[in-house]
Amino acid sequence: MRSTISKSIVPSIYKSTYNAWEVYGDLLPYQASVLHGYDVQVQKVFFGINAMIDRALRENENLIIEGVHILPGYFEKHKNTFEYILDIENEKIHRLRFYRRESITSLRPAAKYLKYFVEIRDIRNFIIKKSKEKSIPIIQNLDVQEALKELVKHIEDDFEKKNKKR
């Protein structure tokens, strides 16, 4: 979206989810500002994601969309769409993931994210709350292989349930 929309029109998409609130200053209490900045980004990204989903449906293609901007409840449910949340509930393990990612790619230094760890966790908590409200499965991502197995199992079960209803 950054390549198609000017920073002067939607400045918040030129920030990361965890610091989009900085665009709006201190208009709201701190945590509300963090969630407001995040919500504005979700609303802007929503249109592009819905367009991708519509195209995949028209062309009968499979599609996986992942990212922090996929807020539960925002997207229209289609016959074979499924939502899942991958989570790291434990804060210590969550912090360690940033160091692990840094060891894989120098483009994502842990310090950059840890500076905003409180904001990242506030957004995470908001996503988890919305997931529970919408009864969206939350998969703990402590071990990548185990999380992947659980995700595939959910997809298989959900696909089977939807196809039995036909």
Side-chain angles (χ1 to χ4, degrees), residues 7-40:
K7 186 176 184 176
S8 64
I9 295 171
V10 186
S12 67
I13 67 168
Y14 283 82
K15 295 279 192 172
S16 293
T17 55
Y18 51 79
N19 68 344
W21 60 273
E22 293 173 346
V23 170
Y24 306 103
D26 297 329
L27 300 175
L28 300 167
Y30 180 69
Q31 186 181 39
S33 290
V34 170
L35 296 179
H36 174 72
Y38 169 69
D39 190 56
V40 169

Side-chain angles (χ1 to χ4, degrees), residues 110-122:
K112 173 183 170 184
Y113 299 95
L114 294 175
K115 175 182 174 185
Y116 291 99
F117 191 71
V118 169
E119 294 83 356
I120 289 168
R121 292 299 290 187
D122 284 345

Side-chain angles (χ1 to χ4, degrees), residues 55-69:
R55 180 178 178 179
L57 289 167
R58 272 193 322 274
E59 296 177 0
N60 200 28
E61 292 290 333
N62 296 319
L63 179 66
I64 295 174
I65 302 174
E66 66 82 27
V68 73
H69 292 99

